[in-house]
Amino acid sequence: MGITLRELGRAERGDRADEVVLALSPGFGGFFSKTIVDIPHDEVVRQILAGVEEQGVQARVIQLHATADLAAVAHTGARLSGSGIGIGVLSRGTSMIHQKDLPRLSSLELFPQSPLMTPEVYRAIGRNAAQYAKGDSPQPVPTLNDQMARPRWQAKAALLHLKECELLVKGAPPTEVEPVIEESV
């Protein structure tokens, strides 16, 4: 299994009030193929899109090329979403649900500990984002908190972030992508 992000062109602002934009960082699904705890990127996308779909909301996927900052990735997704709701995901798995009218660093929900992310949490993120897009006020996605996650994973997270930053293309606009998930034979 794997994922290919087929570029469709420059990402534009959507006009559907019932959509969520999933915004991916530059290395997602390309240079990197799994999160910091080896969840395949195709599974991350599959779970988030399934969560959105369960709520009867449409989803678009974009990829950013000029930043690997989670708040910027998620906020850009929200600004390009017709509903004003976006989900940002970095290659290592750190995620955020954002709303276009909020300041960049004030998200709706933040999932900062990528080593604690699971497929179920990604699905719940998609579900909650869709509920925000419908104007609902869902209960925040329950998250785990492990005080030892930071010291245990900090060095690997820093290396992954540095590598993702090497993939940045200054000034490149976000692109709309079609996620193509390859099934194993």
Side-chain angles (χ1 to χ4, degrees), residues 4 7 12 28 38 40 44 73 76 82 85 87 90 98 110 112 114 120 124 127 132 143-145 153 156 162 165 169:
T4 301
E7 288 198 22
E12 303 290 342
F28 194 101
D38 296 334
V44 172
V73 170
T76 299
I85 301 296
I87 302 168
L90 299 182
H98 218 307
L110 171 64
S114 56
E120 293 77 20
R127 196 170 28 243
Y132 288 121
T143 57
L144 299 172
N145 188 9
W153 292 93
K156 185 174 182 180
L162 288 173
C165 286
V169 179

Side-chain angles (χ1 to χ4, degrees), residues 139-161:
Q139 290 293 315
V141 175
T143 57
L144 299 172
N145 188 9
D146 179 357
Q147 298 299 323
M148 294 308 294
R150 177 173 285 219
R152 189 177 321 130
W153 292 93
Q154 190 168 18
K156 185 174 182 180
L159 290 172
L160 293 174
H161 183 69

Side-chain angles (χ1 to χ4, degrees), residues 4-169:
T4 301
L5 300 175
R6 186 179 307 147
E7 288 198 22
L8 302 175
R10 186 181 182 132
E12 303 290 342
R13 188 176 191 305
D15 55 7
R16 294 184 62 132
D18 66 339
E19 76 171 359
V20 169
V21 168
L22 172 57
L24 305 172
S25 63
F28 194 101
F31 184 83
F32 297 104
S33 62
K34 56 189 176 185
T35 68
I36 195 168
V37 290
D38 296 334
I39 299 172
H41 281 173
D42 58 296
E43 182 67 9
V44 172
V45 170
R46 184 191 325 264
Q47 291 299 329
I48 290 174
L49 295 181
V52 171
E53 185 179 313
E54 287 172 0
Q55 296 298 314
V57 173
Q58 300 294 311
R60 287 190 303 132
V61 183
I62 67 171
Q63 187 161 40
L64 280 77
H65 307 282
T67 184
D69 176 271
L70 178 60
V73 170
H75 197 244
T76 299
R79 286 187 297 110
L80 293 175
S81 169
S83 70
I85 301 296
I87 302 168
V89 181
L90 299 182
S91 294
R92 65 179 179 272
T94 312
S95 304
M96 175 184 285
I97 302 174
H98 218 307
Q99 184 175 24
K100 70 175 184 179
D101 297 329
L102 293 175
R104 184 185 284 185
L105 296 178
S106 295
S107 63
L108 292 170
E109 295 186 47
L110 171 64
F111 308 90
Q113 293 191 327
S114 56
L116 304 179
M117 300 295 282
T118 65
E120 293 77 20
V121 171
Y122 288 115
R123 194 178 197 104
I125 289 171
R127 196 170 28 243
N128 267 21
Q131 290 179 24
Y132 288 121
K134 294 191 303 186
D136 296 341
S137 298
Q139 290 293 315
V141 175
T143 57
L144 299 172
N145 188 9
D146 179 357
Q147 298 299 323
M148 294 308 294
R150 177 173 285 219
R152 189 177 321 130
W153 292 93
Q154 190 168 18
K156 185 174 182 180
L159 290 172
L160 293 174
H161 183 69
L162 288 173
K163 191 63 187 171
E164 186 146 57
C165 286
E166 291 177 8
L167 303 171
L168 298 179
V169 179

